[in-house]
Amino acid sequence: MSVSAIHPHEHQSGLAVETPPYVTVVLPCYNEQDHVVLELERITAAMDASGYSYELLVIDDKSTDSTLSVLRDVAPKYPNMRLMPFRRNGGSGTARRIGTQEARGKIVVWTDADMTYPNERIPEFVQYLDENPDVDQVVGARTTEEGTHKWARVPAKWLIRMIAQRLSGMKIPDLNSGLRAFRRDVSLPYLRLLPPGFSCVTTITMAFLSNQHPVDYLPIDYAKRSGTSKFHPFRDARRYILQVLRMVMYFDPIKVLMPVALWIMGLGFAKLIADVIRYDLRVTTSTLLAILVGFQIVVLALIGDLVARSRSDT
């Protein structure tokens, strides 16, 4: 295992200077009072045994239960834990964005505190990035779906994943897994794109893929969550789909708009031929409108592509 920055301090000119940790585990918490300590124990045990230097950045997203007081009570037991309480609820995406911005590690790990993900495998994800320097993100691909509202989650996630694969041109085993590790410096230009809710994990995946940052996947088990799910099947599915479209539009608008434009123009020209034959060289208004709309979408796609390519962060 490649281990970086194992020693917590080094001496320079007689002064102790703290060495930044190699890994930052960002752990958003919202109403997790009954099991958050078990999750802390599992993560710290795995990271302590790994030999990697790390910090556990725990973000309380303005919980309405006793999560924050529980975290404060146990904080002395976890010297690598850094507690960041929010003054108002910002959503898991906001917590992950701010946590990544505040992270001191070169490798950032995102996971959840609801006992669903195998967080004892976090060192394996870090090691994968160490052993594969050409990979910028590694995602835990769930082999089962154990979440609440399973009847809605499974078809919705399948549809969203198919849309994302079609638009990105890449195979995506799991688009919205909450367990992933990535290189912090690569992620920084895209953090401002993260939405406040669950679709932030979709966004970071699409942002990497759309900008030629390699993303690999490791199969993981997925357990039934502890506590109450915050997932809303219809509202969040809609947000996932819109976020996938936004990301591809942001980075590669031609891939989204050009097929639509060509279909509309193709139908318009086909109707033009039919009109000429049927109406003795006369053309209907709807035919001209279809051709004009298709042409306008082509122009919009080209302008969007020019804007996307002119941005300094891409």
Side-chain angles (χ1 to χ4, degrees):
M1 179 181 293
S2 173
V3 181
S4 301
I6 293 179
H7 301 290
H9 297 85
E10 62 183 18
H11 295 275
Q12 296 180 355
S13 303
L15 296 175
V17 179
E18 184 178 359
T19 301
Y22 184 60
V23 181
T24 296
V25 180
V26 177
L27 187 69
C29 297
Y30 180 69
N31 292 351
E32 315 283 3
Q33 63 178 16
D34 295 330
H35 46 266
V36 67
V37 176
L38 295 175
E39 201 67 273
L40 295 179
E41 291 176 352
R42 182 162 61 149
I43 295 173
T44 55
M47 293 304 299
D48 288 343
S50 72
Y52 285 109
S53 65
Y54 73 98
E55 64 173 345
L56 177 54
L57 182 53
V58 181
I59 301 175
D60 177 72
D61 194 17
K62 193 61 177 177
S63 296
T64 57
D65 63 1
S66 301
T67 298
L68 181 56
S69 60
V70 169
L71 290 171
R72 283 174 170 159
D73 288 343
V74 301
K77 295 175 54 179
Y78 302 99
N80 294 92
M81 174 178 144
R82 183 156 59 107
L83 180 59
M84 181 184 295
F86 280 1
R87 293 190 174 185
R88 62 183 180 88
N89 181 266
S92 61
T94 301
R96 289 185 170 103
R97 173 178 58 81
I98 293 176
T100 305
Q101 291 170 335
E102 296 294 324
R104 296 185 295 146
K106 292 182 178 180
I107 302 297
V108 174
V109 177
W110 286 359
T111 190
D112 290 338
D114 55 13
M115 305 298 291
T116 54
Y117 292 101
N119 287 332
E120 67 277 2
R121 293 182 59 187
I122 288 177
E124 181 182 342
F125 283 69
V126 179
Q127 184 179 5
Y128 189 93
L129 291 178
D130 276 350
E131 295 176 350
N132 298 272
D134 59 320
V135 176
D136 291 322
Q137 183 172 185
V138 57
V139 179
R142 293 164 291 185
T143 56
T144 59
E145 173 59 68
E146 299 295 338
T148 55
H149 309 295
K150 188 174 180 178
W151 59 271
R153 280 179 180 260
V154 173
K157 288 184 177 182
W158 178 87
L159 176 61
I160 295 166
R161 186 162 55 87
M162 291 302 102
I163 294 173
Q165 289 185 163
R166 179 72 174 177
L167 295 177
S168 67
M170 302 289 292
K171 183 174 177 59
I172 306 174
D174 193 336
L175 180 62
N176 54 352
S177 170
L179 176 58
R180 60 190 61 221
F182 53 87
R183 305 188 193 280
R184 179 179 180 273
D185 59 339
V186 176
S187 72
L188 291 178
Y190 313 119
L191 295 181
R192 59 188 175 84
L193 304 176
L194 298 184
F198 291 105
S199 53
C200 64
V201 292
T202 303
T203 303
I204 201 71
T205 301
M206 294 301 295
F208 273 53
L209 291 175
S210 299
N211 285 275
Q212 305 301 313
H213 300 300
V215 178
D216 281 359
Y217 300 85
L218 294 177
I220 61 170
D221 294 326
Y222 187 64
K224 187 175 181 180
R225 71 154 288 137
S226 298
T228 304
S229 174
K230 291 90 176 176
F231 180 84
H232 299 273
F234 299 108
R235 184 184 67 193
D236 288 317
R238 171 181 164 272
R239 288 177 177 174
Y240 280 131
I241 293 174
L242 289 177
Q243 199 61 28
V244 169
L245 293 175
R246 286 192 193 106
M247 286 299 95
V248 180
M249 281 288 291
Y250 187 86
F251 294 116
D252 196 354
I254 284 182
K255 185 171 289 186
V256 176
L257 294 177
M258 196 61 73
V260 176
L262 293 178
W263 267 103
I264 294 176
M265 291 183 70
L267 291 174
F269 280 115
K271 195 170 184 301
L272 174 64
I273 296 173
D275 287 351
V276 170
I277 296 173
R278 184 176 180 181
Y279 299 118
D280 193 20
L281 300 181
R282 287 182 298 171
V283 180
T284 62
T285 302
S286 60
T287 299
L288 294 176
L289 183 62
I291 295 174
L292 179 60
V293 169
F295 178 75
Q296 288 177 328
I297 296 176
V298 168
V299 173
L300 180 62
L302 293 174
I303 293 175
D305 184 67
L306 180 62
V307 172
R309 294 179 184 277
S310 66
R311 288 193 305 265
S312 60
D313 61 341
T314 58

